[in-house]
Amino acid sequence: MKPAFPFATRRLMMGGLLTLLAACAGAPVQQPDQQADIARVEAYLNTSDGLQANFVQTWPDGGKGQGVMHYDPGRLRLDYETPGSMKLVAQNGHLLFVDHRRESVTRMSLGHQPLGLLLDQPVHLSGLISVTAVQHGQNSLQVSLARRDSESQGILTLGFSDIAGKLSLLVIEMTDVERQHIRLDLTDTTVSGQKWPDAMFTLSASN
């Protein structure tokens, strides 16, 4: 049985959408229209209180798991239904992963991992964070992010539907230094505008 996030146990601790990621590393984006898109993504990540979605996670070997994701700006929780009962909670620069099947608990820092780029509070897609690519598709927008001081060591890519100027998060993908990918495909994404209870995001193995 596979662990929840491979970086928790498979050296993916430094954590792009599809094979486009190979071209994502490069100079920060400069075009005005791209800067506007970056500002929209930043605003979305900082205002999506009460976000909930079903997810399917794909590991580097093609294996899959699924469950429910909860997100408030700066904090994330994944509750896995398959391949077994597991949870991942991340906030305040730290991550907790509990595998109830194996009665195992893993804790780690998010300081140098791509997932941490999503959970800075507030999110600023400038300064210490480099936007390495902006991609437009039909009714879609994709941005790739890296830490400016270590762009080669991990990329986080966020994919959104972009319909009538409204963004909705559809994909979270991380790529580590060895070009291995972890991908979350989201469905039924909703944003209530009300924060989830703080107790959902405590870094405790017991809840």
Side-chain angles (χ1 to χ4, degrees):
M1 303 293 280
K2 297 178 174 62
F5 267 44
F7 61 72
T9 55
R10 301 185 190 179
R11 300 172 55 204
L12 295 181
M13 297 182 64
M14 295 182 291
L17 207 61
L18 306 175
T19 56
L20 290 170
L21 293 172
C24 283
V29 178
Q30 301 293 332
Q31 293 82 349
D33 58 335
Q34 293 178 328
Q35 292 290 356
D37 285 330
I38 293 167
R40 292 171 64 212
V41 170
E42 184 177 289
Y44 180 93
L45 295 175
N46 284 320
T47 60
S48 292
D49 293 323
L51 187 152
Q52 178 176 311
N54 297 322
F55 71 85
V56 174
Q57 180 174 320
T58 303
W59 287 279
D61 64 0
K64 295 183 182 295
Q66 63 183 21
V68 179
M69 182 182 89
H70 295 88
Y71 170 85
D72 281 336
R75 53 193 195 173
L76 175 75
R77 177 170 175 147
L78 302 176
D79 288 290
Y80 291 79
E81 300 166 356
T82 62
S85 178
M86 302 175 288
K87 77 169 183 178
L88 181 147
V89 179
Q91 71 161 333
N92 295 330
H94 298 280
L95 178 147
L96 168 77
F97 170 61
V98 180
D99 187 338
H100 297 291
R101 306 162 304 160
R102 300 178 178 177
E103 299 183 346
S104 66
V105 177
T106 302
R107 300 177 186 272
M108 65 183 68
S109 170
L110 292 173
H112 297 286
Q113 300 176 32
L115 183 61
L117 299 168
L118 177 64
L119 299 177
D120 287 340
Q121 184 56 32
V123 174
H124 291 299
L125 303 185
S126 59
L128 297 177
I129 295 178
S130 175
V131 179
T132 61
V134 176
Q135 301 280 342
H136 277 281
Q138 184 174 5
N139 296 324
S140 66
L141 173 65
Q142 172 187 305
V143 297
S144 294
L145 314 172
R147 297 193 184 279
R148 192 174 297 277
D149 60 355
S150 57
E151 288 186 13
S152 65
Q153 295 186 351
I155 295 175
L156 173 74
T157 294
L158 304 174
F160 300 85
S161 66
D162 186 4
I163 300 174
K166 183 177 181 180
L167 297 178
S168 182
L169 185 62
L170 293 179
V171 176
I172 302 171
E173 190 164 2
M174 287 163 285
T175 301
D176 75 346
V177 67
E178 297 177 350
R179 296 295 182 185
Q180 297 190 78
H181 308 300
I182 304 166
R183 176 178 170 119
L184 295 177
D185 288 283
L186 309 181
T187 57
D188 303 319
T189 303
T190 60
V191 179
S192 71
Q194 300 294 320
K195 289 185 179 296
W196 297 108
D198 291 342
M200 292 182 61
F201 301 97
T202 58
L203 297 171
S204 168
S206 62
N207 63 337

